[in-house]
Amino acid sequence: MPRTVLLAEDDRAIRHALERALTLEGYRVTAVADGAEALAQAHRGRPDVLVLDVMMPGLDGLQVCRELRAEGDSTPILMLTALVETADRIAGLDAGADDYVVKPFDIEEVFARLRALLRRTDRTETDAAGAPGSRTAGPAAGTTGAAAGPGAVTDGDAPATAGDAAGRGEREDGRYLEAAGLRMDPRARRAWRGERELELTRTEFELLELLVRNAGIVLDHSTIYDRIWGYDFGPGSKNLAVYVGYLRRKLDQPGAPQLIQTVRGVGYVLREG
């Protein structure tokens, strides 16, 4: 079955060009001219992915994104924006968008980003169904003495040994992942620090899950980008740093050390102390 795209763009020329290009690429496209109609269409039938222009009259793309996320709709959202400032892009990510493309854009970039979003959705649905094929990442490039095997936990793996658990601080107890005082239920997509449940967006949850599954292992930037976004945004991207900041604000407690630690020039690692 062809993948379905809900496209909302108020510029007629851009809307028609995108609709035609996506259709030729094999997508089934519903194209609308404003945010109110996009929201109505999303309620009528859930598409596989949404492409929303940020600047639309009436209900803009950010408002549509916030509304859908408030309703618990986790459909991947790609934002189209002519706003190039970092703060503007962060506003889109903060509203719940998964990715963005800056106008003017190359249509091949739009295709690539849509493919990456849909791959993430497919992996999430596979994991939720309990099928084989976890997203545990291997060690970061240049990491010595660490491999994905020792103590690494994936759905369906045998429990780690006592020695591994002591070294990694991670275990799988039935359906739960635990590391560094965190507990996650990947199938229900819930997470806790101690007794406090964390309210996480789709991308925040996937990033935290990746770090928990690889607790104690330094993951480099390119590894994280590949696992979470499906490709590397390049050396100038602030996407990863933005989402690490979001997670730290939700995870960290006053007077306690940060759980997600920065390894300067390399990447990030989850560990206590």
Side-chain angles (χ1 to χ4, degrees):
M1 292 291 292
R3 298 301 188 107
T4 56
V5 177
L6 175 54
L7 166 66
E9 166 64 66
D10 66 317
D11 185 302
R12 180 184 299 179
I14 294 176
R15 184 173 67 252
H16 288 175
L18 268 175
E19 182 180 11
R20 176 175 172 76
L22 290 167
T23 300
L24 290 174
E25 189 70 7
Y27 294 97
R28 191 167 71 244
V29 184
T30 299
V32 298
D34 58 68
E37 182 60 23
L39 201 54
Q41 288 288 346
H43 289 155
R44 288 189 192 109
R46 182 171 173 178
D48 292 313
V49 64
L50 288 91
V51 179
L52 302 177
D53 183 33
V54 171
M55 303 295 288
M56 291 187 288
L59 202 65
D60 66 25
L62 295 182
Q63 291 171 301
V64 173
C65 189
R66 290 190 190 99
E67 181 66 25
L68 290 173
R69 295 304 187 234
E71 295 170 0
D73 190 326
S74 59
T75 303
I77 295 176
L78 175 66
M79 305 295 289
L80 305 177
T81 179
L83 305 173
V84 297
E85 295 298 324
T86 299
D88 296 314
R89 295 184 230 174
I90 290 173
L93 296 171
D94 225 0
D98 296 279
D99 201 355
Y100 56 82
V101 175
V102 177
K103 298 176 182 178
F105 49 77
D106 187 311
I107 191 62
E108 293 298 330
E109 181 183 4
V110 174
F111 292 160
R113 290 177 186 260
L114 288 177
R115 288 194 297 268
L117 291 178
L118 291 168
R119 282 197 301 271
R120 290 172 55 195
T121 302
D122 291 342
R123 287 200 302 263
T124 299
E125 290 175 353
T126 298
D127 290 346
S134 77
R135 290 176 288 116
T136 302
T143 303
T144 59
V153 180
T154 62
D155 291 341
D157 282 345
T161 65
D164 290 336
R168 292 283 303 281
E170 177 184 346
R171 73 173 187 274
E172 183 179 31
D173 182 10
R175 64 190 290 176
Y176 295 103
L177 298 171
E178 294 190 28
L182 299 172
R183 183 164 58 99
M184 302 189 73
D185 182 345
R187 295 174 186 173
R189 301 188 70 79
R190 300 176 67 187
W192 299 262
R193 179 168 189 183
E195 299 301 315
R196 176 171 59 93
E197 184 164 4
L198 307 170
E199 296 294 330
L200 303 176
T201 66
R202 176 196 183 97
T203 302
E204 289 168 356
F205 187 93
E206 292 183 356
L207 176 56
L208 184 60
E209 182 184 354
L210 178 66
L211 292 167
V212 166
R213 287 184 183 276
N214 294 276
I217 292 176
V218 177
L219 299 178
D220 64 29
H221 296 96
S222 61
T223 295
I224 298 174
Y225 273 122
D226 179 66
R227 297 290 179 171
I228 301 302
W229 283 277
Y231 57 95
D232 196 337
F233 285 74
S237 174
K238 293 182 171 59
N239 275 33
L240 179 54
V242 166
Y243 274 102
V244 168
Y246 292 161
L247 278 177
R248 282 172 171 163
R249 287 198 290 272
K250 294 180 179 183
L251 292 177
D252 294 342
Q253 298 171 339
Q258 287 184 333
L259 294 184
I260 302 175
Q261 298 179 18
T262 301
V263 180
R264 194 169 300 278
V266 181
Y268 298 95
V269 59
L270 178 77
R271 60 185 172 215
E272 278 188 300

